[in-house]
Amino acid sequence: MVIIIKIKENMKLYFKYASVCTQSVMQYKLSFLLMIIARFLIAFCELIAIKFLFSGFTQIKGYTYGDILLCFSVIQMSFTFAELFGNGFKVFSGMVRGGDFDRMMVRPRSLLLQVIGSRFEIGRTGPLLTAMITLVLGIKYSQITWNIMTIWTLAAMIVGGMLLFIGLFILEASFCFFSIEDTSLMNVLTYGAKSHGKYPIDIYGKGILQFCTYVIPYTLIQYYPLQFLLGKTHNWHLAFYPLGIIVFWLICYFIWRFGVKHYKSCGS
């Protein structure tokens, strides 16, 4: 009962954070509208690039146009949701340098909640629109038999992908406890995954597939469940692979806790 009450309190506080961030952005409505349009067009250009690619090919390593659209929409939606809710970790180095994190530590609230709530990026809904359009097209052109298992698989891929990218954002923020400089190297694992993840991982070769399975588990939310979703295998247990991201997320959380424990004020 105490846990449920605490969760409700944290959720209520988070919605207040999100409301304040949204109101702040909406003070400049034209700027907000232009930002939405710009981000939508940037993401939409990636969709057009896929269309141009398939104007000369009928398939890529056994994957059709609809299959690629479905794969692209899952990664785009996952990454957009991760940026929407977890963007505070992406700008965490600035919080450390500016002394904002020091102030967070003396407040009687969860540090994770405060960091997440500090940057609710409503402007990220632009790429989300592209992802939704792509998902509709992917469902239309793919030859998927939709039932409870396939619907679960698709939903698990999106939610698991969101947790994966938020976990990577937390990992990036954790490095700032030891080096307050911006850890742009992590962009290889975040923006790089978003860029390459619009195609099934196995088209890049066995080495990349193994790296994305045993080091950073992208394949748990993309390649393996995608095989079941597209009907390339009847191994139904692949539909539950995205649940493995919970383990990865917990590892990232414990690294975060280790960083917090050893954090020393930057002196701002």
Side-chain angles (χ1 to χ4, degrees):
M1 190 65 179
V2 176
I3 296 177
I4 295 176
I5 294 175
K6 189 172 182 179
I7 291 175
K8 287 183 177 180
E9 289 179 349
N10 286 335
M11 290 300 296
K12 185 178 180 180
L13 181 58
Y14 174 75
F15 285 125
K16 286 184 178 180
Y17 275 127
S19 176
V20 170
C21 291
T22 302
Q23 291 176 22
S24 175
V25 172
M26 293 303 292
Q27 291 297 314
Y28 305 92
K29 294 180 175 59
L30 179 59
S31 175
F32 171 73
L33 180 61
L34 292 176
M35 178 175 59
I36 292 289
I37 294 174
R39 288 175 175 170
F40 169 78
L41 291 176
I42 291 173
F44 195 75
C45 286
E46 296 184 63
L47 176 59
I48 294 176
I50 295 176
K51 179 63 177 178
F52 282 148
L53 178 64
F54 275 89
S55 64
F57 299 93
T58 57
Q59 61 179 15
I60 299 178
K61 204 171 182 179
Y63 297 100
T64 65
Y65 176 59
D67 298 341
I68 299 298
L69 287 180
L70 205 61
C71 183
F72 170 75
S73 65
V74 168
I75 293 297
Q76 183 71 52
M77 200 169 292
S78 298
F79 191 82
T80 301
F81 278 129
E83 283 195 314
L84 183 65
F85 297 112
N87 200 54
F89 293 107
K90 293 180 61 181
V91 296
F92 185 71
S93 61
M95 295 183 189
V96 174
R97 288 196 300 268
D100 295 328
F101 186 68
D102 291 356
R103 289 192 290 272
M104 290 180 181
M105 294 189 72
V106 299
R107 297 169 184 164
R109 291 293 179 179
S110 167
L111 290 174
L112 279 178
L113 178 63
Q114 292 186 70
V115 175
I116 290 175
S118 65
R119 289 292 295 270
F120 181 76
E121 288 285 350
I122 189 66
R124 302 294 176 180
T125 51
L128 184 60
L129 295 175
T130 303
M132 294 175 66
I133 293 172
T134 310
L135 180 61
V136 172
L137 292 175
I139 292 174
K140 177 182 178 180
Y141 289 111
S142 60
Q143 303 298 318
I144 298 175
T145 302
W146 293 100
N147 51 48
I148 294 178
M149 282 299 295
T150 51
I151 293 174
W152 154 264
T153 304
L154 181 61
M157 290 171 68
I158 295 172
V159 175
M162 179 186 70
L163 291 177
L164 171 68
F165 284 116
I166 290 179
L168 289 172
F169 294 160
I170 293 175
L171 199 60
E172 179 178 358
S174 300
F175 292 150
C176 295
F177 291 124
F178 309 100
S179 174
I180 63 174
E181 295 300 323
D182 185 21
T183 53
S184 299
L185 181 63
M186 288 294 295
N187 290 341
V188 176
L189 301 180
T190 53
Y191 289 101
K194 172 181 172 291
S195 179
H196 293 89
K198 60 186 176 183
Y199 300 105
I201 296 295
D202 61 328
I203 73 170
Y204 301 111
K206 186 177 179 180
I208 298 297
L209 181 63
Q210 290 178 338
F211 176 84
C212 294
T213 299
Y214 301 110
V215 182
I216 305 296
Y218 299 120
T219 55
L220 296 185
I221 55 93
Q222 199 244 46
Y223 172 70
Y224 292 115
L226 185 68
Q227 303 306 301
F228 174 77
L229 184 64
L230 299 178
K232 294 182 178 295
T233 177
H234 296 294
N235 294 329
W236 58 269
H237 63 274
L238 295 180
F240 296 91
Y241 270 35
L243 295 177
I245 293 300
I246 297 175
V247 177
F248 175 76
W249 200 92
L250 288 175
I251 292 173
C252 295
Y253 174 72
F254 286 128
I255 294 175
W256 162 267
R257 292 297 304 169
F258 178 81
V260 171
K261 184 178 179 180
H262 293 81
Y263 171 68
K264 296 181 180 179
S265 174
C266 67
S268 297

